Every structure is written in structure tokens, then in C-alpha cells.
């Protein structure tokens, strides 16, 4: 009986979802994500996620002010590291309170991601049990939209909001729609504020310890993924190794494009959860020190296991239903 039940569950997880079911599940996940992030910052009102910085910048832009200067004057401990396209995308949320805007942004991200990953099966929803997901919505990050953009080209324009992880998602599944959408968003940004690029570059130059994994101890090992260069997940991991990012669990959400089975997805969920517990509990004296402490944990618990997943597969482009898992 137990084996029969297990097989029935396995078949359900592999079944191709109906459109109405995908929409319903996406809605539920979106609502739960919005409620979670609201609860976190009701309990911790002195903390603020990344979205709040973009909200400040968007309000300044809407009023005709310099968004980069506005963030600097707001008391944030670091400048606005994001390009103006990210601020433009948050502009509609600036008409709402920061709490409501934050909840709506996170909820939409969760809904879009859930809808995207269930194109072929239900099992990829296991990513919503991961530490990477908890870290992502706690920080109210762009990553859910960027991962969705790797699966649904219509979301590809948002790659311009965070070009580092956006590039990783684009390499996984390039599309003309993503190129056109991103270029249009960048062009609109220059039309709205021609001087933004210089301000952004100046802010990025002050980023604390923002480095590519290949510049960190052992990070070069991730380039072994390119031995399977014909596979999109191999190109994804190879690109992620080369782009500067914070190497914290929220950036690992894009790695859920790698698993091809429920077992692999569940394993990655557990591993990112363990990494999140470490990064939240490990005592550090500052952001730079936190990244240095997190790197060996992320390498051993997350990046290398994902590399093993990639290297176990043949160097063949996946075809048909095998693609996207």
C-alpha cells in the first residue's frame, strides 16, 4: 500500500498541470508570499528589504529628483546598486505605501515564478520549500521574475533590472523577446534620465566585496560545468561563476533551473536551507565579513552539488519534455 501511494504521488508530481490549476496555485503562492514578507517586517519594523530602496528611488524619480541621490540621503547604509531600469519597473508601486508595495511586489514575483515553473510538471514547486526562496522573499528581491524570464520570454525584459542574474537567466534560454524588451527598458531609462548610467557606475564602485565566484577560493571548479556546454543548465552555472553577485542563498534561486527530477529539486531545497541557517546564525562584524564566511558554505552545500548534477548528464542539448524538467 505504501509503495502504491508513493507511486501515485510520484505520477501526480510528474503530471502535466492544467492551465487553470497552474493559475490557482500561482495565486495561492503569491498571496502566501505577500503575507510572509508583511509579517516579517511587522515583527522587525527596523529592518528593511531591498525593495524599500527601490521604492525610495522610484518616488524620487516620479517627483523629478535624482533617485541615486535620494537613496544616499535616506539613511541607507549603502548606495543604490541597481540600474535605472529596476527603478522604472518599481515606479507603479511608488503610488502605494511601502508596506503595501512591498507585499504586492513579492506576491507578484511568487505568482509569476510558480506559474513559470509548472509548465511541464508540478514537482518544481519544491523550490518554494527552499532556503533560497525564504531568503529571496525576505529580501524582496528581483530573482523570482528573472528565473521566470528564463522560462517565459515575456518576462525577459526584466533582465535589465538586475543585469548580473539577468544574464545568467538569459544564457539558460536566450530569446529575442528578452533582448528587445531589455533594450527598450534601457532606452526608456536614458530617455527619462540620461545621466543615470554614470550615477549607477559610481554606486557599483562602492559595492562591498561584490565578486564573481571564480575569484574566490575553489570557485574555478564551477567552470567544469562547461564540459557540458551543450546543456542550458551547464551554461547557466558557468555564467553564474563569472558574474559578480553576493553569493548568498537568495542568489541561488536561479540554480533551481538545474534540477531535472523531484529528488534533485528536493535535495537542492534542503541544501539551500542549510546554507541559509548558517548565514543567518553565523556571527559576523559586517557585510563583507558575512560574504567571506558564507562563501565556503555556499560552495560546499550549494554550488558543488549543483555542479555534480550537471556533470552527471551527457553533453547533449535536452529535447522535448526533458527540457526544463
Amino acid at each position: 500500500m505504501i509503495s502504491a501511494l508513493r507511486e501515485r504521488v510520484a505520477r501526480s508530481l510528474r503530471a502535466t498541470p492544467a492551465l487553470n490549476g497552474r493559475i490557482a496555485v500561482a495565486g495561492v503562492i503569491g498571496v502566501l508570499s505577500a503575507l510572509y514578507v508583511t509579517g516579517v517586517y511587522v515583527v522587525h519594523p527596523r529592518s528593511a528589504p531591498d525593495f524599500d530602496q527601490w521604492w525610495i528611488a522610484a518616488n524620487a524619480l516620479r517627483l523629478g529628483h535624482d533617485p541615486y541621490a535620494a537613496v544616499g540621503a535616506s539613511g541607507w547604509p549603502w548606495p543604490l546598486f541597481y540600474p535605472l531600469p529596476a527603478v522604472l519597473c518599481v515606479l507603479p508601486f511608488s503610488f502605494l505605501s511601502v508596506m503595501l508595495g512591498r507585499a504586492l511586489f513579492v506576491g507578484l514575483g511568487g505568482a509569476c515564478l510558480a506559474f513559470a515553473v509548472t509548465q511541464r510538471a508540478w514537482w518544481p514547486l519544491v523550490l518554494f520549500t527552499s532556503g533560497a526562496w525564504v531568503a529571496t522573499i525576505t529580501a524582496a528581491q528581483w530573482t523570482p521574475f528573472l528565473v521566470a524570464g528564463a522560462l517565459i520570454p515575456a518576462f525577459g525584459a526584466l533582465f535589465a533590472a538586475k543585469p548580473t542574474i539577468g544574464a545568467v537567466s538569459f544564457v539558460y534560454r536566450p530569446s529575442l523577446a528578452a533582448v528587445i524588451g531589455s533594450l527598450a527598458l534601457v532606452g526608456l531609462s536614458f530617455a527619462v534620465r540620461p545621466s543615470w548610467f554614470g550615477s549607477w557606475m559610481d554606486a557599483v564602485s562602492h559595492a562591498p566585496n561584490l565578486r564573481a565566484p571564480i575569484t574566490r577560493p575553489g570557485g574555478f571548479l564551477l567552470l567544469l560545468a562547461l564540459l557540458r556546454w551543450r546543456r542550458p543548465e551547464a551554461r547557466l552555472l558557468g555564467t553564474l561563476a563569472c558574474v559578480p553577485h553576493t553569493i548568498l542563498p537568495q542568489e541561488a534561486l536561479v540554480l533551481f533551473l538545474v534540477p531535472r527530477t523531484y529528488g534533485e529539486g528536493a535535495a537542492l531545497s534542503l541544501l539551500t536551507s542549510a546554507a541559509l541557517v548558517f548565514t543567518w546564525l553565523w556571527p559576523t562584524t559586517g557585510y563583507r565579513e558575512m560574504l567571506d564566511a558564507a562563501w565556503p558554505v555556499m560552495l560546499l552545500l550549494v554550488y558543488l552539488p549543483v555542479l555534480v548534477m550537471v556533470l552527471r548528464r551527457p553533453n547533449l542539448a535536452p529535447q522535448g519534455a526533458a527540457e526544463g524538467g
Side-chain angles (χ1 to χ4, degrees), residues 43-62:
V43 174
H44 302 284
R46 294 189 178 183
S47 301
D50 293 352
F51 171 86
D52 292 22
Q53 191 186 55
W54 313 327
W55 183 86
I56 293 169
N59 271 284
L61 184 66
R62 181 164 54 85

Side-chain angles (χ1 to χ4, degrees), residues 179-255:
V179 173
I180 294 174
S182 295
L183 289 177
L185 192 55
V186 171
L188 180 60
S189 299
F190 279 110
V192 170
R193 193 167 190 87
S195 63
W196 72 266
F197 191 80
S199 299
W200 176 44
M201 287 291 96
D202 181 64
V204 169
S205 68
H206 295 90
N209 215 18
L210 191 63
R211 296 162 52 189
I214 59 171
T215 67
R216 295 179 180 274
F220 71 93
L221 293 171
L222 302 182
L223 295 179
L224 291 173
L226 298 179
L227 293 173
R228 302 291 184 267
W229 61 271
R230 289 188 175 91
R231 304 193 66 90
E233 64 270 29
R235 298 191 295 271
L236 177 150
L237 184 56
T239 304
L240 186 63
C242 297
V243 299
H245 60 282
T246 60
I247 56 90
L248 293 175
Q250 57 263 37
E251 304 287 21
L253 190 69
V254 71
L255 292 175

